[in-house]
Amino acid sequence: MQSIDEALKRRRYGAADPANPLRRALHRAGYEDSPPLTLNAVDGEHPRGRELSLAWLAGTVMTGITSVLLMGAALYVAFDGRESFSTASQALMFQRSGPAVLPTGTGKGDRIRPVAATRSEFEVVEASIRTVEDGRTMLRSQAFTRLDATLATGETALAADIPAFDPSAIATSEPAAPSGAAPAEIYTASVEGEVAITMAALPAQLLPASAITDRQAADLVKASLQDAYFEDAGERSLAYAAAPLSLPAATLGVAENVTVMSKTRLAGAGGGRSERIVTAKQATPLRALLLKNGFTEQSYAMVATTLRNVLPSLELPAGAKLRILMGPSRMSATPVPYRLSIYVHDPSTRAIRHAATAAMTDRGTYVIGQAPGMIELPEEDIEAADVGALPSLYRSIWETARKHDLDDATTAEIVAMFAYEVDLTQRVQPGDTLQLLATRPESGTPELVYASLRTGGTSRELFRFRTADGSVDYYSPDGETGKRFLTRRPLQGGGRLASRYGYRIHPIFKTRRLHSGVDLASPLGTPVYAGGDGIIKRAQWLSGYGRYVELDHVNGYQTAYAHMSRIADGLKPGMRVRQGQIVGYVGSTGNSTGNHLHYEIRVNGRTVDPLSVKLPRDKELPAQSAGDFTQAVGQVRQLMQRRPGEEPS
């Protein structure tokens, strides 16, 4: 508090005059006679009277700052690092009284933010196939399922219970054996019902009599060729006028039950939330569309209860559109639907209008909400995605397959087909696509005939083919199997890439040196598998590598596995191991800073990058089957390239 003497001095009044009127006024205002504040307090002692302690002042400030930081950290951990803790206010605006109409205003925050262009076509086609049964060649009509879909860029409840990524299971998997009369070849002629073909030698009595001798025929050919040359513009030319080759048109069937889904245009992303627009191509129950677009049975039941108050029926008419806003969940890693808006065509104006909106509350229930800001609803479906939360290729393939009702056995086979060529733990990119062609049996599991995965602008195709000895496998267009003879991530779950191949600053020695492999971080005790068939060269403790296993493979290839906590029982130098066999368990032995597998691949004694080196295939197509395989590839491509609903030429 300011002393009276100081106030009087600043006012240039005498400080000693007790009768001074200003002095009396200051007394009445609360001033008192006391000495000024001083910094003469002794450090370490509590300040007395008018004394100030800088140490105590600094301690008080630091205590406040520390408390704020601790409270903030506690809240951040409690909310699991999420940036949004409540439902968007726009989604909770209650429906006003009166008829529902489409809002006319458009706000910047209301714009849909699509990320990747997608187009998904799912259809059933009929084609003729040729099989061999009991030594007889049979022709019959076969239904095929054809899928051309963009990989899902966001996860929903469809992928909540998919199996964990397990490279060991993939390494030991084989193509599903054909059931019954699996199609050996797509035939290029139309058949009705079943046709049996029997080949026999032409009886000699049916051969026509020779009109000329072989010598005469040779002279005729020679003379015909000589007469075909003539002078034209100073150059010798061959006059060749053959009639157009006439062949039966390939009968590839008529498309049935065609469904065209999802198209998204390139744009920006938006903060953990995404929006999709789904169109009912025909009269469809609301439940069928919602369960394939992020809703669970429980959330659908809540939405249905809410919408029954404002909709006459939960059966969507043809052309109806759903606008679904997805967002992060506080209870699971899978996004949940924040808002559902339904739009239908007005019979009187033929314009689309808003019918109803259901929005999620903070308690996880759904209430009637106001229509979101208007956007131009496109004819085709669009889907937005959050580029900061894209799923892995593995989870995206499962999400896409379940959205199109593929059975889990077929999906697992698709994953196994591409696991050797593609890093399935990397994030899916907008625009990545999956193409499939599979049989559609009346009972049993569908059999894949063709699969194509396009990632990062690179397409990889695999065709199912049965060789003359009856073995079935998937081959690239060049006649190589999709399976590599070495795996790139030989541990359960694939691990997290902690350090790449190449020069780096060593985390322990702090010097720049070559990192001769890749470090795959994984919990202690995670099984480590042999990258390929080989012979054990070492299985021992090796200096800074800790517990170490080294395998010799064919053609000068070697693999090494280091820092393991334990080597598998019974492994000794000279033993043979199979691809996918356990050789040890993840640990942190030797010069290591944490639990991980150090994995090396060497070619002729030189280390290479295990994640990028081009590895040879496990096997190649026999030379005697090359012609039949080329024909089969052409027939499959002809069927895949035909536009939906197009009649065969």
Side-chain angles (χ1 to χ4, degrees), residues 190-329:
S190 176
V191 297
E192 295 182 2
E194 291 188 1
V195 177
I197 300 178
T198 303
M199 299 185 66
L202 184 66
Q205 59 270 23
L206 296 181
L207 293 176
S210 298
I212 57 177
T213 63
D214 292 343
R215 179 65 180 178
Q216 291 174 324
D219 292 340
L220 176 61
V221 172
K222 182 178 179 180
S224 300
L225 289 176
Q226 288 176 342
D227 294 340
Y229 286 93
F230 61 93
E231 296 291 336
D232 182 17
E235 298 180 359
R236 304 218 24 112
S237 304
L238 176 63
Y240 182 70
L245 183 62
S246 177
L247 295 176
T251 302
L252 297 179
V254 180
E256 297 179 356
N257 304 327
V258 177
T259 302
V260 180
M261 304 171 61
S262 283
K263 182 161 187 179
T264 308
R265 293 177 293 276
L266 188 63
R273 301 185 182 186
S274 62
E275 193 168 36
R276 62 182 64 183
I277 295 178
V278 182
T279 305
K281 304 299 180 181
Q282 54 189 359
T284 307
L286 178 63
R287 177 180 179 275
L289 287 182
L290 294 189
L291 292 183
K292 290 187 178 182
N293 288 278
F295 284 80
T296 62
E297 289 284 0
Q298 182 180 4
S299 58
Y300 165 74
M302 290 188 291
V303 167
T305 301
T306 301
L307 292 179
R308 284 192 179 97
N309 297 323
V310 294
L311 292 179
S313 171
L314 296 183
E315 184 83 9
L316 297 177
K321 292 183 179 292
L322 304 181
R323 186 177 171 186
I324 305 172
L325 175 66
M326 306 292 294
S329 170

Side-chain angles (χ1 to χ4, degrees), residues 66 79 90 92 151 158 172-173 177 195 231 257 326 402 453 460 469 474 640:
T66 304
F79 285 113
Q90 292 178 344
L92 288 176
L151 290 177
L158 291 173
T172 56
S173 65
V195 177
E231 296 291 336
N257 304 327
M326 306 292 294
R402 287 190 170 181
L453 182 65
R460 299 168 179 86
D469 60 2
Y474 293 98
M640 290 298 299

